[in-house]
Amino acid sequence: MDQLSPLDAAFLEVEDADPHASLAIASVAVVEGPAPSHDEFLALMRSKLPVLPRARQKLVRTPLDLSTPAWQDDPSFDLTYHVRRTALPAPGGDAELCALVARIMGQRLDRDRPLWEYWVVEGLADGRWAVLAKVHHCMADGVSGTMLYDVMYGDGPAPEPAGDGSSTSLFSLLANVVRAPLALAGGVLSLALSLLPVRPSSLFGQIGSPRLYRVVRASLPEVKEVARTFGVTVNDVVLAAVSQAYRALLLQRGERPSAHSIRTMVPVSVRGDRRLDNQVSLRLAFLPVDAESAVEALSLVHQRFTDAKRGHQAESGHALAQLARHEPFAPLAWSVRLGAMMPQRSIVTVTTNVPGPRKPLRVLGRRIVEILPYVPIAIRIRTGIAVLSYTDRVAIGITADRASTSDVDVLAEAVHEAFAELLTASRHDAASTHRG
C-alpha cells in the first residue's frame, strides 16, 4: 500500500481539527453543448480508471497514528456513486453556477470511500454545461489537479505512482542542509518571523461550514502585457489586483487598511515529477492594502515577494517537509491537529496561482470554454483566492465564509476594477515611452 506523505496527511489533520472545514480542491470546466448522456460520461470515466488507480482507492489509518494513512483498493468501489449529475435553475448564469459550487464544496467527502466526485452540470446559459471535479487536497495540489485535465480530456500520460517519498535519502537531505546552511537557516527564520500576528481586522476569525463563491475573469495576454510594461511577473500582477480588492473590502467595512493588515500564504510548486500528490511549499508576505493605487500596489508586491524569494522561504519549507518524512508521524499529526485548533492570527488569506492547460481541450468532442478554480478555506481564514489560466483566459475563483463575508461581491468587483486600472496604466506608460 502507498502511504501519504506527512504533507498530504496534514490536510486530513487540519480537516479533522476544524469541524467547519472541507479541504477539497476543485475546478469547473465549462463546456460547449450539448451535454452528453449520463451513460456516455460514465463510459468516459470508466475508460480512464486503468490509468488512475488512486480513483479506486480509499484511505486506511493506522492505530495511534503510528504511520501516515495509506491507500488501499476499495473492494466496494462504485463509479456511479462518484459521478453525479445535476442542473442549474434558469437562467443558468454565473450566480446560479457559483451557488451550486459553494453548496457542493461546503460538504465534506466521505472518508470511507475514494476521496473524489465528478459532477456533470446541465442548464448553463448559451446551451453550455459543466464538469465540476472535486478532489480532496490530501490527494492532489493545484498543479497535479490540473495535470488530470491532460489525462482526462487530452493525451497526457498517466500520473506516476505516488508513494510516500521515503525512498529519498535522509543523507542527501542533510547534505543539502550542509551545502547551504545559511540560506536554509535564513529561510526558516524568515518563515518564523512571517508567522507573527497581524493587525486585527474583520477579515479573519471563526468560520462556519456554508460557503460563498464568486468568479472574476481576465485576459491572459492583457495580464502579460501589464507584467511586461512594469517589469514584473504575472503573479505580481495578480497579487496587486488582490491587494486592491482587500483594500476596497476593508474600506467598505469602515476599517483602515494597514501595511500589516493582511498576510497571505502563497503556495509555491516544488514539483519535479508527475505524481498525483502534494509537492508545494509556501511564501508568506503582507499584501500592500495601504497602497492607494493599483500601480503602487504592484511595485510593493514585486518588491516584497522578490525579498521573500531571496529569503529562501519556499526552499526551507520544502526541506522541512522532506525531513518530516523521516520523523515518527504520531507527534507530527498531534502537533498539526493542536496547531489547527489554536486561534491562529498570522495568515489572513491564501492566494494560489496555477498555470492550467495551454492548449484547448475537449470532453467527448465538446470544447472546454473555460476552467474555474476553487480553493478551500479553514482555520480562521475567511477568504481564499485561486487563479488559474487556461489557453488565453485567466479565471479568479473567490471562496468566502458565508456567515462572515456576505459582502464578497465587493471583493470580486474590486479585483476586476484593479485589473482594468493596471491595464490602463500600462498602456498609458507604454504610450508615453513611445512618444518620448
Side-chain angles (χ1 to χ4, degrees), residues 49 53-60 72-84 110-116:
L49 290 178
R54 189 69 78 236
R56 303 186 304 273
Q57 296 175 331
K58 64 179 183 178
L59 282 175
V60 178
Q72 74 171 22
D73 290 340
D74 181 4
S76 303
F77 175 71
D78 178 4
L79 180 63
T80 61
Y81 174 86
H82 296 273
V83 179
R84 306 179 181 192
D110 186 350
R111 293 275 188 93
D112 292 328
R113 297 176 181 268
L115 295 175
W116 65 275

Coordinates of all heavy atoms in Angstrom, one line a residue, residues 49 53-60 72-84 110-116:
L49 N -10.1 4.9 -15.7 CA -9.8 4.2 -14.4 C -8.5 3.4 -14.5 O -7.7 3.4 -13.5 CB -11.0 3.3 -13.9 CG -12.2 4.1 -13.5 CD1 -13.3 3.1 -13.1 CD2 -11.9 5.0 -12.3
P53 N -5.3 4.6 -10.8 CA -5.6 3.7 -9.8 C -6.0 4.3 -8.5 O -6.8 3.7 -7.7 CB -4.2 2.9 -9.6 CG -3.2 3.8 -10.2 CD -3.9 4.5 -11.3
R54 N -5.5 5.6 -8.2 CA -5.9 6.2 -7.0 C -7.4 6.5 -6.9 O -8.0 6.6 -5.8 CB -5.2 7.6 -6.9 CG -5.3 8.3 -5.5 CD -4.6 7.5 -4.4 NE -3.2 7.7 -4.4 CZ -2.3 6.8 -4.5 NH1 -2.7 5.5 -4.5 NH2 -1.0 7.0 -4.5
A55 N -8.1 6.6 -8.1 CA -9.5 6.8 -8.1 C -10.3 5.7 -7.5 O -11.5 5.8 -7.1 CB -10.0 7.1 -9.6
R56 N -9.7 4.5 -7.4 CA -10.4 3.3 -6.9 C -10.0 3.0 -5.5 O -10.3 1.9 -5.0 CB -10.2 2.1 -7.8 CG -10.6 2.3 -9.3 CD -10.5 1.0 -10.1 NE -9.2 0.5 -10.0 CZ -8.2 0.8 -10.9 NH1 -8.4 1.7 -11.8 NH2 -7.0 0.3 -10.8
Q57 N -9.2 3.8 -4.9 CA -8.6 3.5 -3.6 C -9.1 4.5 -2.5 O -9.5 5.6 -2.8 CB -7.1 3.7 -3.6 CG -6.4 2.7 -4.6 CD -4.9 2.9 -4.7 OE1 -4.4 4.0 -4.6 NE2 -4.2 1.8 -5.0
K58 N -9.2 3.9 -1.3 CA -9.6 4.7 -0.1 C -8.5 4.7 0.9 O -7.6 4.0 0.8 CB -10.9 4.2 0.5 CG -10.8 2.8 1.0 CD -12.2 2.3 1.6 CE -12.0 1.0 2.3 NZ -13.3 0.5 2.9
L59 N -8.7 5.6 1.9 CA -7.7 5.7 2.9 C -7.9 4.8 4.1 O -9.0 4.6 4.5 CB -7.6 7.2 3.5 CG -6.9 8.2 2.6 CD1 -7.1 9.6 3.2 CD2 -5.4 7.8 2.4
V60 N -6.8 4.3 4.6 CA -6.8 3.4 5.8 C -5.9 4.0 6.8 O -4.7 4.2 6.5 CB -6.5 2.0 5.5 CG1 -6.5 1.1 6.8 CG2 -7.4 1.4 4.5
Q72 N -5.5 2.0 -0.1 CA -5.7 0.6 -0.5 C -7.0 0.5 -1.4 O -7.9 1.4 -1.3 CB -5.9 -0.3 0.7 CG -7.2 -0.2 1.5 CD -7.4 -1.2 2.5 OE1 -6.4 -1.8 3.0 NE2 -8.6 -1.5 2.9
D73 N -7.0 -0.5 -2.2 CA -8.1 -0.6 -3.1 C -9.4 -0.8 -2.4 O -9.5 -1.5 -1.3 CB -7.9 -1.9 -4.0 CG -6.8 -1.7 -5.0 OD1 -6.5 -0.5 -5.3 OD2 -6.3 -2.7 -5.5
D74 N -10.5 -0.1 -2.8 CA -11.8 -0.2 -2.2 C -12.6 -1.3 -2.8 O -12.9 -1.3 -4.0 CB -12.5 1.1 -2.4 CG -13.9 1.2 -1.8 OD1 -14.3 0.2 -1.1 OD2 -14.6 2.2 -2.0
P75 N -12.8 -2.4 -2.0 CA -13.5 -3.6 -2.6 C -14.9 -3.3 -3.0 O -15.5 -4.0 -3.8 CB -13.4 -4.6 -1.5 CG -13.3 -3.8 -0.2 CD -12.5 -2.6 -0.6
S76 N -15.5 -2.2 -2.5 CA -16.9 -1.8 -2.7 C -16.9 -0.6 -3.7 O -18.0 0.1 -3.7 CB -17.6 -1.5 -1.4 OG -17.6 -2.6 -0.5
F77 N -15.9 -0.4 -4.5 CA -15.8 0.8 -5.3 C -17.0 0.8 -6.3 O -17.3 -0.2 -7.0 CB -14.5 0.9 -6.1 CG -14.5 2.0 -7.1 CD1 -14.4 3.3 -6.7 CD2 -14.6 1.7 -8.5 CE1 -14.4 4.4 -7.6 CE2 -14.6 2.8 -9.4 CZ -14.5 4.1 -8.9
D78 N -17.7 1.9 -6.3 CA -18.9 2.1 -7.2 C -18.8 3.4 -8.0 O -18.9 4.5 -7.4 CB -20.2 2.1 -6.3 CG -21.4 2.3 -7.2 OD1 -21.4 2.3 -8.4 OD2 -22.5 2.4 -6.5
L79 N -18.5 3.3 -9.2 CA -18.2 4.5 -10.0 C -19.5 5.4 -10.0 O -19.3 6.7 -10.0 CB -17.9 4.1 -11.5 CG -17.6 5.3 -12.4 CD1 -16.4 6.1 -12.0 CD2 -17.4 4.8 -13.8
T80 N -20.7 4.8 -10.0 CA -21.9 5.7 -10.1 C -22.1 6.5 -8.9 O -22.8 7.5 -8.9 CB -23.1 4.8 -10.3 OG1 -23.3 3.9 -9.2 CG2 -23.0 4.0 -11.6
Y81 N -21.4 6.1 -7.7 CA -21.5 7.0 -6.5 C -20.7 8.2 -6.7 O -21.1 9.3 -6.2 CB -21.0 6.2 -5.3 CG -20.9 7.0 -4.1 CD1 -22.0 7.2 -3.2 CD2 -19.7 7.7 -3.7 CE1 -21.9 8.0 -2.1 CE2 -19.7 8.5 -2.6 CZ -20.8 8.6 -1.8 OH -20.7 9.4 -0.7
H82 N -19.6 8.2 -7.4 CA -18.7 9.3 -7.5 C -19.0 10.2 -8.7 O -18.6 11.4 -8.7 CB -17.3 8.8 -7.7 CG -16.8 8.0 -6.5 ND1 -16.2 8.6 -5.4 CD2 -16.8 6.7 -6.2 CE1 -15.9 7.7 -4.5 NE2 -16.3 6.5 -5.0
V83 N -19.7 9.7 -9.7 CA -20.1 10.5 -10.9 C -21.6 10.9 -10.7 O -22.4 10.0 -10.8 CB -19.9 9.8 -12.2 CG1 -20.3 10.6 -13.4 CG2 -18.4 9.4 -12.3
R84 N -21.8 12.2 -10.5 CA -23.2 12.7 -10.2 C -23.6 13.7 -11.3 O -22.8 14.2 -12.1 CB -23.2 13.3 -8.8 CG -22.6 12.3 -7.8 CD -22.6 12.9 -6.4 NE -22.0 11.9 -5.5 CZ -22.1 12.1 -4.1 NH1 -22.7 13.1 -3.6 NH2 -21.6 11.1 -3.4
D110 N -16.7 11.8 1.7 CA -16.9 10.6 2.6 C -15.5 9.9 2.7 O -15.0 9.3 1.7 CB -17.9 9.6 2.0 CG -18.3 8.5 2.9 OD1 -17.6 8.3 3.9 OD2 -19.2 7.8 2.5
R111 N -15.0 9.9 3.9 CA -13.7 9.2 4.2 C -13.7 7.7 4.0 O -12.7 7.1 3.9 CB -13.2 9.6 5.6 CG -12.9 11.0 5.9 CD -11.5 11.4 5.4 NE -11.1 12.7 5.9 CZ -10.5 13.0 7.0 NH1 -10.2 12.1 7.8 NH2 -10.3 14.3 7.3
D112 N -14.9 7.1 4.0 CA -15.0 5.7 3.8 C -14.9 5.3 2.3 O -15.1 4.1 2.0 CB -16.2 5.1 4.5 CG -16.2 5.3 6.0 OD1 -15.1 5.2 6.5 OD2 -17.3 5.5 6.6
R113 N -14.8 6.2 1.4 CA -14.8 6.0 0.0 C -13.6 6.7 -0.6 O -13.0 7.5 0.0 CB -16.1 6.4 -0.6 CG -17.3 5.7 -0.2 CD -18.6 6.3 -0.8 NE -19.8 5.7 -0.4 CZ -20.4 4.7 -0.9 NH1 -19.9 4.2 -2.0 NH2 -21.5 4.2 -0.5
P114 N -13.3 6.4 -1.9 CA -12.3 7.2 -2.6 C -12.7 8.7 -2.5 O -13.8 9.0 -2.7 CB -12.3 6.6 -4.0 CG -12.7 5.2 -3.8 CD -13.7 5.2 -2.7
L115 N -11.7 9.5 -2.3 CA -11.9 10.9 -2.0 C -12.1 11.8 -3.2 O -11.3 12.8 -3.4 CB -10.8 11.4 -1.0 CG -10.8 10.7 0.3 CD1 -9.6 11.2 1.2 CD2 -12.1 11.0 1.1
W116 N -13.1 11.6 -4.0 CA -13.3 12.4 -5.2 C -14.7 12.3 -5.6 O -15.4 11.3 -5.4 CB -12.4 12.1 -6.3 CG -12.5 10.7 -6.9 CD1 -12.0 9.5 -6.4 CD2 -13.4 10.3 -8.0 NE1 -12.4 8.5 -7.2 CE2 -13.3 8.9 -8.2 CE3 -14.2 11.0 -8.9 CZ2 -13.9 8.2 -9.2 CZ3 -14.9 10.4 -9.9 CH2 -14.7 9.0 -10.0

